[in-house]
Coordinates of all heavy atoms in Angstrom, one line a residue:
M1 N 67.0 -45.4 -99.9 CA 68.3 -44.8 -100.3 C 69.4 -45.7 -99.7 O 69.4 -46.1 -98.5 CB 68.4 -43.4 -99.7 CG 69.6 -42.6 -100.2 SD 69.7 -40.9 -99.7 CE 68.1 -40.3 -99.9
T2 N 70.4 -46.0 -100.5 CA 71.5 -46.9 -100.0 C 72.6 -46.0 -99.4 O 72.7 -44.8 -99.5 CB 72.1 -47.7 -101.1 OG1 72.8 -46.8 -102.1 CG2 71.0 -48.5 -101.9
A3 N 73.6 -46.7 -98.7 CA 74.7 -45.9 -98.1 C 75.5 -45.2 -99.2 O 76.0 -44.1 -99.0 CB 75.6 -46.9 -97.3
G4 N 75.7 -45.8 -100.4 CA 76.4 -45.2 -101.4 C 75.7 -43.9 -101.9 O 76.4 -42.9 -102.2
E5 N 74.4 -43.9 -101.9 CA 73.6 -42.7 -102.3 C 73.8 -41.7 -101.2 O 73.9 -40.5 -101.6 CB 72.2 -43.1 -102.6 CG 72.0 -43.9 -103.8 CD 70.5 -44.3 -104.0 OE1 69.9 -44.7 -102.9 OE2 70.0 -44.3 -105.1
D6 N 73.8 -42.1 -100.0 CA 73.9 -41.1 -98.9 C 75.2 -40.4 -99.0 O 75.3 -39.2 -98.9 CB 73.9 -41.9 -97.5 CG 72.5 -42.3 -97.2 OD1 71.5 -41.9 -97.8 OD2 72.4 -43.2 -96.3
I7 N 76.3 -41.1 -99.2 CA 77.6 -40.4 -99.3 C 77.7 -39.6 -100.6 O 78.3 -38.5 -100.5 CB 78.8 -41.4 -99.1 CG1 80.1 -40.7 -98.7 CG2 79.0 -42.2 -100.4 CD1 81.1 -41.6 -98.1
A8 N 77.1 -40.0 -101.6 CA 77.1 -39.2 -102.9 C 76.4 -37.9 -102.6 O 76.9 -36.8 -103.1 CB 76.5 -40.0 -104.0
I9 N 75.3 -37.9 -102.0 CA 74.5 -36.7 -101.6 C 75.3 -35.8 -100.7 O 75.4 -34.6 -100.9 CB 73.1 -37.1 -101.1 CG1 72.3 -37.7 -102.2 CG2 72.5 -35.8 -100.5 CD1 71.0 -38.3 -101.7
R10 N 75.9 -36.4 -99.7 CA 76.8 -35.7 -98.8 C 77.9 -35.0 -99.5 O 78.2 -33.8 -99.3 CB 77.3 -36.6 -97.7 CG 78.0 -35.9 -96.6 CD 78.4 -36.8 -95.5 NE 79.0 -36.1 -94.4 CZ 79.8 -36.6 -93.6 NH1 80.1 -37.9 -93.6 NH2 80.4 -35.9 -92.6
R11 N 78.6 -35.7 -100.4 CA 79.7 -35.1 -101.2 C 79.2 -33.9 -102.0 O 79.8 -32.8 -102.0 CB 80.3 -36.1 -102.1 CG 81.2 -37.1 -101.3 CD 81.7 -38.2 -102.3 NE 82.6 -39.1 -101.6 CZ 82.7 -40.4 -101.7 NH1 81.8 -41.0 -102.6 NH2 83.5 -41.1 -101.1
K12 N 78.0 -34.1 -102.6 CA 77.4 -33.0 -103.5 C 77.1 -31.8 -102.6 O 77.4 -30.7 -103.0 CB 76.2 -33.5 -104.2 CG 75.6 -32.6 -105.2 CD 74.5 -33.2 -105.9 CE 73.9 -32.2 -107.0 NZ 72.9 -32.8 -107.8
R13 N 76.5 -32.1 -101.4 CA 76.2 -31.0 -100.5 C 77.4 -30.2 -100.0 O 77.4 -29.0 -100.0 CB 75.4 -31.5 -99.3 CG 74.9 -30.5 -98.3 CD 74.1 -31.0 -97.2 NE 74.6 -32.2 -96.6 CZ 75.6 -32.2 -95.6 NH1 76.1 -31.1 -95.2 NH2 76.0 -33.4 -95.1
L14 N 78.5 -30.9 -99.7 CA 79.7 -30.3 -99.2 C 80.4 -29.5 -100.3 O 80.9 -28.4 -100.1 CB 80.6 -31.3 -98.6 CG 80.2 -31.9 -97.3 CD1 81.1 -33.0 -96.8 CD2 80.3 -30.7 -96.2
R15 N 80.3 -30.0 -101.6 CA 80.9 -29.2 -102.7 C 80.1 -28.0 -102.9 O 80.7 -26.9 -103.1 CB 80.9 -30.1 -104.0 CG 82.0 -31.1 -103.9 CD 82.0 -32.0 -105.2 NE 82.5 -31.1 -106.3 CZ 82.4 -31.5 -107.5 NH1 81.9 -32.7 -107.9 NH2 82.8 -30.7 -108.5
Y16 N 78.8 -28.0 -102.8 CA 78.0 -26.8 -102.9 C 78.3 -25.8 -101.8 O 78.5 -24.6 -102.1 CB 76.5 -27.2 -102.9 CG 75.6 -26.0 -103.0 CD1 75.3 -25.5 -104.3 CD2 75.2 -25.3 -101.9 CE1 74.5 -24.4 -104.4 CE2 74.4 -24.1 -102.0 CZ 74.0 -23.7 -103.3 OH 73.3 -22.6 -103.4
R17 N 78.4 -26.3 -100.6 CA 78.7 -25.4 -99.4 C 80.1 -24.8 -99.6 O 80.3 -23.7 -99.2 CB 78.7 -26.2 -98.1 CG 77.3 -26.4 -97.6 CD 77.4 -27.1 -96.2 NE 78.1 -26.3 -95.2 CZ 78.6 -26.7 -94.1 NH1 78.5 -28.0 -93.8 NH2 79.2 -25.9 -93.3
A18 N 81.0 -25.5 -100.2 CA 82.4 -25.0 -100.3 C 82.4 -23.8 -101.3 O 83.2 -22.9 -101.1 CB 83.3 -26.1 -100.8
W19 N 81.5 -23.9 -102.3 CA 81.5 -22.8 -103.3 C 80.5 -21.7 -102.9 O 80.5 -20.6 -103.6 CB 81.1 -23.4 -104.6 CG 82.2 -24.0 -105.4 CD1 82.5 -25.3 -105.5 CD2 83.3 -23.3 -106.0 NE1 83.6 -25.5 -106.3 CE2 84.1 -24.3 -106.6 CE3 83.6 -22.0 -106.2 CZ2 85.3 -24.0 -107.3 CZ3 84.7 -21.6 -106.9 CH2 85.6 -22.6 -107.5
H20 N 79.8 -21.8 -101.9 CA 78.8 -20.8 -101.5 C 78.9 -20.5 -100.0 O 78.0 -20.7 -99.2 CB 77.4 -21.3 -101.8 CG 77.2 -21.6 -103.3 ND1 77.4 -22.8 -103.8 CD2 76.8 -20.7 -104.2 CE1 77.2 -22.7 -105.1 NE2 76.8 -21.4 -105.4
R21 N 80.1 -20.0 -99.6 CA 80.4 -19.8 -98.2 C 79.8 -18.5 -97.7 O 79.5 -18.3 -96.5 CB 81.9 -19.7 -98.1 CG 82.7 -20.9 -98.4 CD 82.6 -21.9 -97.3 NE 83.0 -21.3 -96.1 CZ 82.8 -21.9 -94.9 NH1 82.2 -23.0 -94.8 NH2 83.2 -21.3 -93.8
G22 N 79.8 -17.5 -98.5 CA 79.3 -16.1 -98.1 C 80.4 -15.1 -98.4 O 80.1 -13.9 -98.5
T23 N 81.7 -15.6 -98.4 CA 82.7 -14.7 -98.8 C 83.4 -15.3 -100.1 O 83.7 -16.5 -100.1 CB 83.8 -14.4 -97.7 OG1 84.4 -15.6 -97.4 CG2 83.2 -13.8 -96.5
K24 N 83.7 -14.4 -101.0 CA 84.3 -14.9 -102.3 C 85.7 -15.5 -102.0 O 86.0 -16.5 -102.7 CB 84.4 -13.7 -103.3 CG 84.8 -14.1 -104.7 CD 83.6 -15.0 -105.2 CE 83.8 -15.2 -106.7 NZ 82.8 -16.2 -107.2
E25 N 86.4 -15.0 -101.1 CA 87.8 -15.5 -100.8 C 87.7 -16.9 -100.4 O 88.5 -17.8 -100.9 CB 88.5 -14.6 -99.7 CG 88.8 -13.2 -100.1 CD 87.6 -12.3 -99.9 OE1 86.5 -12.7 -99.5 OE2 87.8 -11.0 -100.1
M26 N 86.8 -17.2 -99.5 CA 86.7 -18.6 -99.0 C 86.1 -19.5 -100.1 O 86.4 -20.7 -100.1 CB 85.9 -18.7 -97.7 CG 86.7 -18.2 -96.5 SD 88.4 -18.9 -96.3 CE 88.2 -20.6 -96.3
D27 N 85.2 -19.0 -100.9 CA 84.7 -19.8 -102.0 C 85.8 -20.2 -102.9 O 85.9 -21.4 -103.3 CB 83.7 -18.9 -102.9 CG 82.4 -18.6 -102.2 OD1 82.1 -19.1 -101.1 OD2 81.7 -17.7 -102.8
L28 N 86.8 -19.3 -103.2 CA 87.9 -19.6 -104.1 C 89.0 -20.5 -103.4 O 89.8 -21.0 -104.1 CB 88.5 -18.3 -104.6 CG 87.6 -17.5 -105.4 CD1 88.2 -16.1 -105.8 CD2 87.2 -18.2 -106.7
I29 N 88.9 -20.6 -102.1 CA 89.8 -21.6 -101.4 C 89.2 -22.9 -101.2 O 89.8 -23.9 -101.6 CB 90.3 -21.0 -100.1 CG1 91.1 -19.7 -100.3 CG2 91.0 -22.0 -99.2 CD1 91.4 -18.9 -99.1
L30 N 88.0 -23.0 -100.7 CA 87.4 -24.2 -100.4 C 86.7 -24.9 -101.6 O 86.7 -26.1 -101.6 CB 86.4 -24.1 -99.2 CG 87.0 -23.8 -97.9 CD1 85.9 -23.6 -96.8 CD2 87.8 -25.0 -97.4
G31 N 86.2 -24.1 -102.5 CA 85.5 -24.7 -103.7 C 86.5 -25.5 -104.5 O 86.2 -26.7 -104.7
P32 N 87.6 -25.0 -104.9 CA 88.5 -25.9 -105.7 C 89.1 -27.1 -104.9 O 89.3 -28.2 -105.4 CB 89.7 -24.9 -106.1 CG 89.1 -23.6 -106.1 CD 88.1 -23.6 -105.0
F33 N 89.3 -26.9 -103.6 CA 89.7 -28.0 -102.7 C 88.7 -29.1 -102.7 O 89.0 -30.3 -102.9 CB 90.0 -27.5 -101.3 CG 90.3 -28.6 -100.3 CD1 91.6 -29.1 -100.3 CD2 89.4 -29.1 -99.5 CE1 92.0 -30.1 -99.4 CE2 89.7 -30.2 -98.6 CZ 91.0 -30.6 -98.6
A34 N 87.4 -28.7 -102.5 CA 86.4 -29.7 -102.5 C 86.2 -30.4 -103.9 O 86.1 -31.6 -103.9 CB 85.0 -29.0 -102.1
D35 N 86.3 -29.6 -104.9 CA 86.2 -30.2 -106.3 C 87.3 -31.3 -106.5 O 87.0 -32.3 -107.1 CB 86.3 -29.1 -107.4 CG 85.1 -28.3 -107.5 OD1 84.0 -28.7 -106.9 OD2 85.1 -27.3 -108.2
A36 N 88.5 -31.0 -106.0 CA 89.6 -31.8 -106.2 C 89.7 -33.1 -105.3 O 90.3 -34.1 -105.7 CB 90.9 -31.1 -106.1
N37 N 89.0 -33.0 -104.2 CA 89.2 -34.0 -103.2 C 88.0 -34.8 -102.7 O 88.1 -35.9 -102.2 CB 89.9 -33.4 -101.9 CG 91.3 -32.9 -102.3 OD1 92.2 -33.7 -102.5 ND2 91.4 -31.6 -102.3
V38 N 86.8 -34.2 -102.7 CA 85.6 -34.7 -102.1 C 85.3 -36.1 -102.6 O 84.9 -37.0 -101.8 CB 84.4 -33.8 -102.2 CG1 83.1 -34.4 -101.9 CG2 84.6 -32.6 -101.2
E39 N 85.4 -36.4 -103.9 CA 85.0 -37.7 -104.4 C 85.9 -38.8 -103.8 O 85.4 -39.9 -103.7 CB 85.1 -37.7 -105.9 CG 84.0 -36.8 -106.5 CD 82.6 -37.2 -106.1 OE1 82.2 -38.4 -106.0 OE2 81.8 -36.2 -105.8
A40 N 87.1 -38.5 -103.4 CA 88.0 -39.5 -102.9 C 87.9 -39.6 -101.4 O 88.4 -40.6 -100.8 CB 89.4 -39.2 -103.3
F41 N 87.2 -38.7 -100.7 CA 87.1 -38.7 -99.3 C 86.1 -39.8 -98.8 O 85.0 -39.9 -99.4 CB 86.7 -37.3 -98.7 CG 87.7 -36.3 -98.7 CD1 87.4 -35.0 -98.4 CD2 89.1 -36.6 -99.0 CE1 88.4 -34.0 -98.4 CE2 90.0 -35.6 -98.9 CZ 89.7 -34.3 -98.6
D42 N 86.5 -40.5 -97.8 CA 85.5 -41.4 -97.1 C 84.8 -40.6 -96.0 O 84.9 -39.4 -95.9 CB 86.3 -42.6 -96.5 CG 87.3 -42.2 -95.5 OD1 87.4 -41.0 -95.1 OD2 88.0 -43.1 -95.0
G43 N 83.9 -41.3 -95.3 CA 83.1 -40.7 -94.3 C 83.9 -39.9 -93.3 O 83.6 -38.7 -93.0
P44 N 85.0 -40.4 -92.7 CA 85.7 -39.7 -91.7 C 86.4 -38.4 -92.3 O 86.4 -37.4 -91.6 CB 86.8 -40.7 -91.2 CG 86.1 -42.0 -91.4 CD 85.3 -41.9 -92.6
A45 N 86.9 -38.5 -93.5 CA 87.5 -37.3 -94.2 C 86.4 -36.3 -94.4 O 86.7 -35.1 -94.3 CB 88.2 -37.7 -95.4
L46 N 85.2 -36.7 -94.8 CA 84.1 -35.8 -95.0 C 83.7 -35.1 -93.7 O 83.4 -33.9 -93.7 CB 82.9 -36.5 -95.7 CG 83.1 -37.0 -97.1 CD1 81.9 -37.8 -97.5 CD2 83.4 -35.9 -98.1
D47 N 83.8 -35.9 -92.6 CA 83.5 -35.3 -91.3 C 84.5 -34.2 -91.0 O 84.1 -33.1 -90.5 CB 83.6 -36.4 -90.2 CG 82.5 -37.4 -90.2 OD1 81.5 -37.2 -90.9 OD2 82.7 -38.5 -89.6
R48 N 85.8 -34.4 -91.3 CA 86.8 -33.4 -91.0 C 86.6 -32.2 -91.9 O 86.7 -31.1 -91.4 CB 88.2 -34.0 -91.3 CG 88.6 -35.2 -90.4 CD 89.8 -35.9 -90.8 NE 91.0 -35.1 -90.4 CZ 92.2 -35.4 -90.8 NH1 92.5 -36.4 -91.5 NH2 93.3 -34.7 -90.3
L49 N 86.2 -32.4 -93.1 CA 85.9 -31.2 -94.0 C 84.7 -30.4 -93.5 O 84.8 -29.2 -93.4 CB 85.7 -31.6 -95.4 CG 85.3 -30.5 -96.4 CD1 86.3 -29.4 -96.5 CD2 85.0 -31.1 -97.8
E50 N 83.7 -31.2 -93.1 CA 82.5 -30.5 -92.6 C 82.7 -29.7 -91.4 O 82.3 -28.6 -91.2 CB 81.4 -31.6 -92.4 CG 80.0 -31.0 -92.2 CD 78.9 -32.0 -92.4 OE1 79.2 -33.2 -92.2 OE2 77.8 -31.6 -92.7
T51 N 83.5 -30.3 -90.5 CA 83.9 -29.6 -89.2 C 84.6 -28.3 -89.5 O 84.3 -27.3 -88.9 CB 84.7 -30.6 -88.3 OG1 83.9 -31.7 -88.0 CG2 85.1 -29.9 -87.0
L52 N 85.6 -28.4 -90.4 CA 86.3 -27.2 -90.8 C 85.4 -26.2 -91.4 O 85.5 -25.0 -91.1 CB 87.5 -27.5 -91.7 CG 88.4 -26.4 -92.0 CD1 89.1 -25.9 -90.8 CD2 89.4 -26.8 -93.1
M53 N 84.5 -26.6 -92.3 CA 83.6 -25.7 -93.0 C 82.5 -25.1 -92.0 O 81.9 -24.1 -92.4 CB 82.9 -26.4 -94.1 CG 83.9 -26.6 -95.3 SD 83.3 -27.5 -96.7 CE 81.7 -26.7 -97.0
N54 N 82.4 -25.7 -90.9 CA 81.4 -25.1 -89.9 C 82.0 -23.9 -89.2 O 81.3 -23.1 -88.5 CB 81.0 -26.1 -88.8 CG 80.1 -27.1 -89.4 OD1 79.4 -26.9 -90.4 ND2 80.0 -28.3 -88.8
E55 N 83.3 -23.6 -89.4 CA 83.9 -22.4 -88.8 C 83.5 -21.2 -89.6 O 83.2 -21.3 -90.8 CB 85.4 -22.5 -88.8 CG 86.0 -23.7 -88.0 CD 85.7 -23.4 -86.5 OE1 85.7 -22.3 -86.0 OE2 85.5 -24.5 -85.8
E56 N 83.5 -20.0 -89.0 CA 83.2 -18.8 -89.7 C 84.3 -18.4 -90.7 O 85.4 -18.7 -90.5 CB 83.0 -17.7 -88.6 CG 81.9 -17.9 -87.7 CD 80.5 -17.7 -88.4 OE1 80.4 -16.9 -89.3 OE2 79.6 -18.5 -87.9
D57 N 83.9 -17.7 -91.7 CA 84.8 -17.3 -92.8 C 86.0 -16.4 -92.3 O 87.1 -16.7 -92.7 CB 84.1 -16.7 -94.0 CG 83.4 -17.7 -94.8 OD1 83.5 -18.9 -94.6 OD2 82.7 -17.3 -95.8
P58 N 85.7 -15.3 -91.6 CA 86.8 -14.4 -91.3 C 88.0 -15.1 -90.6 O 89.1 -15.0 -91.0 CB 86.2 -13.3 -90.5 CG 84.8 -13.3 -91.0 CD 84.4 -14.8 -91.2
P59 N 87.7 -15.9 -89.5 CA 88.9 -16.6 -88.8 C 89.5 -17.7 -89.7 O 90.7 -17.8 -89.8 CB 88.3 -17.1 -87.5 CG 86.9 -17.1 -87.7 CD 86.5 -16.1 -88.7
L60 N 88.6 -18.4 -90.4 CA 89.1 -19.4 -91.3 C 90.1 -18.9 -92.4 O 91.1 -19.4 -92.6 CB 88.0 -20.2 -92.0 CG 88.3 -21.4 -92.8 CD1 89.1 -22.4 -92.1 CD2 87.0 -22.1 -93.3
L61 N 89.7 -17.7 -93.0 CA 90.6 -17.1 -93.9 C 91.9 -16.7 -93.3 O 93.0 -16.9 -93.9 CB 89.9 -15.9 -94.6 CG 90.7 -15.2 -95.6 CD1 91.0 -16.1 -96.8 CD2 89.9 -13.9 -96.1
K62 N 91.9 -16.2 -92.1 CA 93.1 -15.8 -91.4 C 94.0 -17.0 -91.2 O 95.2 -16.9 -91.3 CB 92.8 -15.1 -90.1 CG 92.2 -13.7 -90.3 CD 91.9 -13.0 -89.0 CE 91.3 -11.6 -89.3 NZ 90.9 -11.0 -88.1
W63 N 93.4 -18.1 -90.8 CA 94.2 -19.3 -90.6 C 94.8 -19.8 -91.9 O 96.0 -20.2 -91.9 CB 93.4 -20.5 -90.0 CG 92.7 -20.1 -88.7 CD1 93.0 -19.1 -87.8 CD2 91.4 -20.6 -88.3 NE1 92.1 -19.0 -86.8 CE2 91.1 -19.9 -87.0 CE3 90.5 -21.6 -88.7 CZ2 90.0 -20.2 -86.3 CZ3 89.4 -21.8 -88.0 CH2 89.1 -21.2 -86.8
V64 N 94.0 -19.8 -93.0 CA 94.5 -20.3 -94.3 C 95.6 -19.4 -94.8 O 96.6 -19.9 -95.3 CB 93.4 -20.4 -95.3 CG1 93.9 -20.6 -96.7 CG2 92.4 -21.5 -94.9
M65 N 95.5 -18.1 -94.6 CA 96.5 -17.1 -95.0 C 97.7 -17.0 -94.0 O 98.6 -16.3 -94.2 CB 95.9 -15.8 -95.2 CG 94.7 -15.7 -96.2 SD 95.1 -16.5 -97.8 CE 96.1 -15.2 -98.5
R66 N 97.6 -17.8 -92.9 CA 98.6 -17.8 -91.9 C 98.8 -16.5 -91.2 O 99.9 -16.1 -90.8 CB 99.9 -18.4 -92.4 CG 99.7 -19.8 -92.9 CD 101.0 -20.5 -93.3 NE 100.8 -21.8 -93.9 CZ 101.0 -22.9 -93.3 NH1 101.4 -23.0 -92.0 NH2 100.8 -24.1 -93.9
Q67 N 97.7 -15.7 -91.1 CA 97.8 -14.5 -90.4 C 97.6 -14.7 -88.9 O 97.9 -13.8 -88.1 CB 96.7 -13.5 -91.0 CG 97.0 -13.1 -92.4 CD 95.8 -12.3 -93.0 OE1 94.7 -12.4 -92.5 NE2 96.1 -11.7 -94.1
E68 N 96.9 -15.8 -88.6 CA 96.7 -16.1 -87.2 C 96.8 -17.6 -87.0 O 96.5 -18.4 -88.0 CB 95.3 -15.7 -86.7 CG 95.0 -14.3 -86.6 CD 93.6 -14.0 -86.1 OE1 92.8 -14.9 -85.7 OE2 93.3 -12.8 -86.0
D69 N 97.2 -18.1 -85.8 CA 97.2 -19.5 -85.5 C 95.8 -19.9 -85.2 O 95.1 -19.2 -84.5 CB 98.1 -19.8 -84.4 CG 99.6 -19.6 -84.7 OD1 100.0 -19.7 -85.9 OD2 100.4 -19.2 -83.8
P70 N 95.4 -21.1 -85.7 CA 94.1 -21.6 -85.3 C 94.0 -22.0 -83.9 O 95.0 -22.4 -83.3 CB 93.9 -22.8 -86.3 CG 95.3 -23.2 -86.6 CD 96.1 -22.0 -86.6
P71 N 92.8 -22.0 -83.3 CA 92.7 -22.4 -81.9 C 92.9 -23.9 -81.8 O 92.9 -24.6 -82.8 CB 91.2 -22.0 -81.5 CG 90.6 -21.8 -82.8 CD 91.6 -21.4 -83.9
A72 N 93.0 -24.4 -80.6 CA 93.3 -25.8 -80.3 C 92.3 -26.8 -80.8 O 92.6 -27.9 -81.2 CB 93.5 -26.0 -78.8
H73 N 91.0 -26.4 -81.0 CA 90.0 -27.3 -81.4 C 90.0 -27.6 -82.9 O 89.3 -28.5 -83.4 CB 88.6 -26.8 -81.0 CG 88.1 -25.7 -81.8 ND1 88.4 -24.4 -81.4 CD2 87.3 -25.6 -82.9 CE1 87.8 -23.6 -82.3 NE2 87.1 -24.3 -83.2
I74 N 90.8 -26.8 -83.6 CA 90.9 -27.0 -85.1 C 91.8 -28.1 -85.5 O 92.9 -28.3 -84.9 CB 91.4 -25.7 -85.8 CG1 90.4 -24.5 -85.5 CG2 91.6 -25.9 -87.2 CD1 89.0 -24.8 -86.1
D75 N 91.4 -29.0 -86.4 CA 92.1 -30.1 -86.9 C 93.2 -29.5 -87.9 O 93.0 -29.3 -89.0 CB 91.2 -31.0 -87.7 CG 91.9 -32.2 -88.3 OD1 93.1 -32.3 -88.3 OD2 91.2 -33.1 -88.7
T76 N 94.4 -29.2 -87.3 CA 95.4 -28.5 -88.1 C 96.0 -29.4 -89.2 O 96.4 -28.9 -90.2 CB 96.6 -28.0 -87.2 OG1 97.1 -29.1 -86.4 CG2 96.1 -26.9 -86.3
D77 N 96.0 -30.7 -89.0 CA 96.4 -31.6 -90.1 C 95.6 -31.4 -91.3 O 96.1 -31.3 -92.4 CB 96.5 -33.0 -89.7 CG 97.6 -33.3 -88.6 OD1 98.6 -32.6 -88.6 OD2 97.4 -34.3 -87.9
F78 N 94.3 -31.4 -91.1 CA 93.3 -31.2 -92.2 C 93.4 -29.8 -92.8 O 93.4 -29.6 -94.0 CB 91.9 -31.5 -91.8 CG 91.0 -31.7 -93.0 CD1 91.0 -33.0 -93.7 CD2 90.2 -30.7 -93.5 CE1 90.2 -33.1 -94.8 CE2 89.4 -30.9 -94.6 CZ 89.4 -32.1 -95.2
L79 N 93.5 -28.8 -91.9 CA 93.7 -27.4 -92.3 C 94.9 -27.3 -93.2 O 94.9 -26.6 -94.2 CB 93.7 -26.5 -91.1 CG 94.0 -25.0 -91.4 CD1 92.8 -24.4 -92.2 CD2 94.1 -24.2 -90.1
N80 N 96.0 -27.9 -92.8 CA 97.2 -27.9 -93.6 C 97.0 -28.5 -95.0 O 97.7 -28.0 -96.0 CB 98.4 -28.5 -92.9 CG 98.8 -27.7 -91.7 OD1 98.7 -26.5 -91.7 ND2 99.4 -28.4 -90.7
L81 N 96.1 -29.4 -95.2 CA 95.8 -30.0 -96.5 C 95.1 -28.9 -97.4 O 95.5 -28.7 -98.5 CB 94.9 -31.2 -96.4 CG 95.4 -32.4 -95.8 CD1 94.3 -33.5 -95.7 CD2 96.6 -33.0 -96.7
V82 N 94.2 -28.1 -96.8 CA 93.6 -27.0 -97.4 C 94.6 -26.0 -97.8 O 94.6 -25.4 -98.9 CB 92.4 -26.5 -96.6 CG1 91.8 -25.2 -97.2 CG2 91.3 -27.5 -96.3
I83 N 95.4 -25.6 -96.9 CA 96.4 -24.6 -97.1 C 97.4 -25.0 -98.3 O 97.7 -24.2 -99.2 CB 97.2 -24.3 -95.8 CG1 96.3 -23.6 -94.8 CG2 98.4 -23.4 -96.1 CD1 96.9 -23.5 -93.4
A84 N 97.8 -26.2 -98.2 CA 98.8 -26.7 -99.3 C 98.1 -26.7 -100.6 O 98.7 -26.4 -101.6 CB 99.2 -28.1 -98.9
D85 N 96.8 -27.1 -100.7 CA 96.1 -27.1 -101.9 C 95.9 -25.7 -102.4 O 96.2 -25.4 -103.6 CB 94.7 -27.7 -101.7 CG 93.8 -27.7 -103.0 OD1 94.1 -28.6 -103.8 OD2 93.0 -26.8 -103.1
H86 N 95.6 -24.7 -101.6 CA 95.5 -23.3 -102.0 C 96.8 -22.8 -102.5 O 96.9 -22.1 -103.5 CB 95.0 -22.5 -100.8 CG 94.9 -21.0 -101.1 ND1 94.1 -20.5 -102.0 CD2 95.6 -20.0 -100.5 CE1 94.3 -19.2 -102.1 NE2 95.2 -18.9 -101.2
Q87 N 97.9 -23.1 -101.7 CA 99.2 -22.6 -102.1 C 99.6 -23.1 -103.5 O 100.1 -22.4 -104.3 CB 100.3 -23.0 -101.1 CG 100.2 -22.3 -99.8 CD 100.5 -20.8 -100.0 OE1 101.3 -20.4 -100.7 NE2 99.7 -20.0 -99.3
S88 N 99.3 -24.4 -103.8 CA 99.7 -25.0 -105.1 C 98.9 -24.3 -106.2 O 99.4 -24.2 -107.3 CB 99.4 -26.5 -105.1 OG 98.0 -26.8 -105.1
R89 N 97.7 -23.9 -105.9 CA 96.9 -23.2 -107.0 C 97.3 -21.8 -107.2 O 97.3 -21.4 -108.4 CB 95.4 -23.2 -106.5 CG 94.8 -24.5 -106.6 CD 93.3 -24.5 -106.1 NE 92.9 -25.8 -105.8 CZ 92.7 -26.9 -106.6 NH1 92.9 -26.7 -107.9 NH2 92.3 -28.0 -106.2
I90 N 97.8 -21.1 -106.2 CA 98.2 -19.7 -106.5 C 99.6 -19.6 -107.0 O 100.0 -18.6 -107.6 CB 98.1 -18.8 -105.2 CG1 98.9 -19.3 -104.1 CG2 96.6 -18.7 -104.8 CD1 98.9 -18.3 -102.9
E91 N 100.4 -20.7 -106.9 CA 101.7 -20.7 -107.4 C 101.8 -21.1 -108.9 O 102.8 -21.0 -109.5 CB 102.6 -21.7 -106.6 CG 102.9 -21.2 -105.2 CD 103.6 -22.3 -104.4 OE1 103.8 -23.4 -104.8 OE2 103.9 -22.0 -103.2
K92 N 100.6 -21.5 -109.4 CA 100.6 -21.9 -110.9 C 100.6 -20.6 -111.7 O 100.1 -19.6 -111.5 CB 99.3 -22.7 -111.2 CG 99.5 -24.1 -110.6 CD 98.3 -24.9 -111.0 CE 98.4 -26.3 -110.4 NZ 97.3 -27.2 -110.7

């Protein structure tokens, strides 16, 4: 397997995980975000997405909906990309 195949498999796996979170709300937030962005993400960006996706759904949803501030260990710059993507979709 080549490096290109590795990243292609990783992208496919992350897209699947984004759509199969366990809660429909997070599926509908992360699924479209992954569909729109994963193919353009390089390894470090995929790392950032994967790290965010390792968080549990209930707190992640609260952060996306701005009901709670994320803890210090969260990559807020990347989280803000997810939030902006979600906001643009619901405003349509």
Side-chain angles (χ1 to χ4, degrees):
M1 191 177 312
T2 67
E5 289 173 320
D6 288 342
I7 200 161
I9 291 169
R10 186 173 182 204
R11 286 177 175 138
K12 186 175 183 176
R13 181 177 47 82
L14 285 171
R15 285 180 69 192
Y16 180 86
R17 280 186 61 201
W19 278 105
H20 298 89
R21 297 281 307 166
T23 63
K24 192 64 170 171
E25 295 86 355
M26 286 312 303
D27 292 352
L28 295 173
I29 292 169
L30 289 176
F33 176 80
D35 285 350
N37 295 290
V38 163
E39 291 304 317
F41 284 172
D42 60 5
L46 293 174
D47 291 343
R48 294 171 81 187
L49 175 58
E50 192 164 26
T51 298
L52 187 64
M53 288 177 47
N54 286 337
E55 296 295 326
E56 295 292 326
D57 282 355
L60 185 54
L61 181 60
K62 288 178 183 177
W63 305 332
V64 170
M65 303 307 288
R66 299 188 188 256
Q67 295 171 342
E68 289 183 4
D69 291 332
H73 74 274
I74 297 299
D75 180 348
T76 54
D77 290 336
F78 195 83
L79 177 62
N80 286 333
L81 292 175
V82 173
I83 292 169
D85 180 78
H86 175 64
Q87 288 296 320
S88 72
R89 290 179 199 290
I90 62 174
E91 290 172 0
K92 288 183 180 178

